[in-house]
Amino acid sequence: MDGRAAINPYQMAVTQFEEAADRLNLPEDMRAILRMPKRELAVNFPVRMDNGSVKVYTGYRVQHNINRGPAKGGIRYDANVSLDEVRALAMWMTWKCAVVDIPFGGAKGGVIVDPKKLSATEVERLTRRYATEISILIGPNSDIPAPDVNTSAREMGWIMDTYSMHHGYSVPAVVTGKPLAIGGSEGRNEATATGAVAVLKMAANERKVPIRDMRVAVQGFGNAGSISAELLHGDGARIVAVSDRQGSIYNKDGLDIPAVVRFKAQHKTVVGFGGAEKLGPQDVLTVACDALIPAATEGQITETNARKVQAQFVIEAANGPTTPEADRILFERDIVVVPDILANAGGVTVSYFEWVQDLQSFFWSDDEIHQKLAVIMARAYDNVARLARENTCDMRTAANMLAIGRVAEATTMRGVYP
Ligand code: NAD
């Protein structure tokens, strides 16, 4: 039980929004515009299974706000997807793009499905049909999807191809996170983790805590979590615990992360890895460590476990892992929480680079991507840390103030149509 059922992510997102809006003295008219998603599409669509039967799936695409540019946001395949989850994730995308100051609005998509129970051909048919259903919204100038939980470059390639087939020519800029061979970007696969590690280093530097030998626990061992663990392991940190849906593994001296990655590739889980103690799925959040990286899903650090968190840094690679009640507890305990909209913004930043490269059909080197990403993450971190100090508030509220202020300004400049 991950506690998610009891937590409504959209209510969480609205609570966070109101807190920052109060501090900004945002007028009620503006709050009313920014609180609600602009567009919500629900689709029910049939997919042919390998055995010839047909199953109907439900999916969503929500655009929260597009005042600063086209909508941008990932697509999630998960049995727990709900409209309120997609709404929350879309709203967080709006603020995330504004925090790092890239010219996108926020969106998100999801399909209620456990893709691990489907064959690759079934996932492909589901992806192509879902892409067709939401093609009334997506496009390189309107709404650009990307990978999220249980989707990857493979699904983005299918969406790009489906959209391109409908148009009769290649439209690479319709999605980001694609394979390199069809217009993907260098650095996109590891971008979310690269950004998360960069903000951990900046936060640790402020408290004069070295990365070498730092004890780190990582919840979730997918794109965001496993690559964060690999990068930090490479920097000499001790990754003492990692987890996935099946459970956590712990070794106080540090796990051999490249070996855990190989084990996971073979066994589809980290559980069972030799030389580590097996713990319950939620135990990763409360082990003795210096930095905790939630990289799984929403609503993981709650008022019931926030007092047991032992880390002094919480770096939110996942979206929405900490509830507002837990935020208050962590702030009182002087634990630094680098919030999702900043900590995992490396992903959307390199997605932006990918989109720009696709539009101009001119591609950049890995070095160029990493340099540009580092500049953007450092600037965003500094801006948020300064605002937090000036307002004596946590970094989430500061990041939301910065982001909501920018979106509100764009909304004011554009005016209310007609
Ligand atoms: P993924 O599908 O690659 O990996 C998800 C991992 O989390 C898996 O190891 C899964 O077993 C684990 N997991 C799921 N539920 C869990 C639970 N309740 N307890 C423990 N482990 C659990 O997904 P991802 O792309 O790495 O995304 C993870 C998080 O990072 C999500 O919140 C996502 O929105 C966020 N994020 C991802 C990106 C990106 O570029 N992929 C960008 C920004 C934010």
Side-chain angles (χ1 to χ4, degrees):
M1 171 66 190
D2 65 11
R4 247 203 308 177
I7 290 157
N8 182 315
Y10 182 57
Q11 273 164 18
M12 257 175 69
V14 171
T15 303
Q16 295 164 350
F17 166 75
E18 299 294 353
E19 170 118 31
D22 284 348
R23 284 185 183 255
L24 289 169
N25 287 321
L26 212 63
E28 181 47 39
D29 286 2
M30 184 60 76
R31 290 181 195 225
I33 294 171
L34 300 183
R35 203 184 277 131
M36 302 276 282
K38 175 183 174 65
R39 292 192 181 110
E40 304 181 344
L41 175 66
V43 292
N44 302 300
F45 57 94
V47 178
R48 178 84 58 198
M49 299 289 110
D50 289 344
N51 67 6
S53 68
V54 167
K55 272 198 192 153
V56 173
Y57 289 91
T58 299
Y60 306 101
R61 185 73 187 169
V62 172
Q63 297 177 349
H64 171 257
N65 187 288
I66 54 172
N67 286 345
R68 298 180 74 256
K72 185 89 192 75
I75 288 175
R76 174 173 296 195
Y77 290 169
D78 194 279
N80 289 318
V81 162
S82 67
L83 183 53
D84 270 349
E85 180 182 55
V86 180
R87 283 179 175 137
L89 291 163
M91 187 191 247
W92 289 325
M93 282 306 297
T94 304
W95 311 143
K96 189 181 304 180
C97 294
V99 162
V100 285
D101 207 7
I102 58 178
F104 284 137
K108 204 80 180 190
V111 178
I112 306 173
V113 59
D114 179 356
K116 301 208 160 73
K117 296 194 174 137
L118 302 186
S119 70
T121 48
E122 287 168 340
V123 175
E124 178 173 358
R125 286 193 292 273
L126 178 138
T127 301
R128 289 184 181 278
R129 181 62 188 248
Y130 169 68
T132 304
E133 295 289 340
I134 64 166
S135 66
I136 54 176
L137 291 184
I138 65 173
N141 296 315
S142 55
D143 185 349
I144 305 125
D148 193 74
V149 174
N150 287 328
T151 60
S152 64
R154 181 183 72 162
E155 285 75 14
M156 297 310 113
W158 289 330
I159 296 176
M160 177 273 196
D161 184 67
T162 301
Y163 188 89
S164 299
M165 284 297 122
H166 293 170
H167 286 75
Y169 50 88
S170 290
V171 189
V174 65
V175 286
T176 58
K178 297 177 292 297
L180 272 179
I182 53 172
S185 177
E186 295 288 351
R188 176 61 186 90
N189 190 46
E190 65 273 22
T192 304
T194 305
V197 169
V199 296
L200 170 57
K201 287 181 179 168
M202 290 184 264
N205 189 39
E206 282 194 71
R207 289 203 170 185
K208 309 260 178 295
V209 179
I211 293 290
R212 179 154 284 283
D213 281 334
M214 176 187 270
R215 295 164 309 160
V216 182
V218 183
Q219 184 196 36
F221 209 66
N223 175 281
S226 72
I227 303 177
S228 295
E230 280 182 291
L231 293 174
L232 285 165
H233 178 82
D235 285 335
R238 263 190 292 155
I239 316 302
V240 292
V242 301
S243 77
D244 59 25
R245 272 176 225 260
Q246 320 299 320
S248 312
I249 55 170
Y250 175 73
N251 183 332
K252 69 173 175 32
D253 299 323
L255 297 158
D256 177 353
I257 292 299
V260 179
V261 169
R262 286 193 297 275
F263 183 89
K264 161 99 200 247
Q266 208 182 340
H267 298 90
K268 309 286 174 226
T269 175
V270 297
V271 176
F273 178 75
E277 196 182 326
K278 183 184 174 207
L279 303 174
Q282 297 304 97
D283 293 335
V284 69
L285 301 170
T286 51
V287 295
C289 64
D290 305 298
L292 171 62
I293 306 185
T297 186
E298 304 93 64
Q300 298 301 304
I301 307 176
T302 65
E303 59 189 328
T304 49
N305 61 9
R307 282 188 187 80
K308 298 186 204 142
V309 168
Q310 301 194 48
Q312 59 166 316
F313 305 102
V314 175
I315 308 297
E316 294 186 335
N319 286 303
T322 312
T323 64
E325 299 75 26
D327 261 336
R328 275 189 278 283
I329 295 167
L330 297 176
F331 186 60
E332 274 165 29
R333 295 185 57 212
D334 199 28
I335 294 171
V336 178
V337 179
V338 183
D340 45 11
I341 61 169
L342 173 61
N344 68 39
V348 76
T349 302
V350 178
S351 274
Y352 165 57
F353 298 160
E354 180 174 334
W355 179 74
V356 169
Q357 293 170 85
D358 287 339
L359 289 180
Q360 61 188 13
S361 295
F362 183 70
F363 291 85
W364 310 342
S365 70
D366 199 39
D367 277 356
E368 245 173 309
I369 302 274
H370 278 94
Q371 270 168 26
K372 287 183 162 75
L373 174 62
V375 169
I376 290 182
M377 293 306 298
R379 189 181 57 204
Y381 181 91
D382 286 344
N383 286 337
V384 171
R386 185 171 352 99
L387 260 182
R389 276 194 299 276
E390 285 167 9
N391 290 277
T392 333
C393 64
D394 59 19
M395 287 184 79
R396 185 180 325 280
T397 308
N400 278 329
M401 287 170 70
L402 178 64
I404 293 166
R406 283 180 176 158
V407 179
E409 186 188 359
T411 304
T412 306
M413 292 299 131
R414 289 181 64 149
V416 175
Y417 175 87

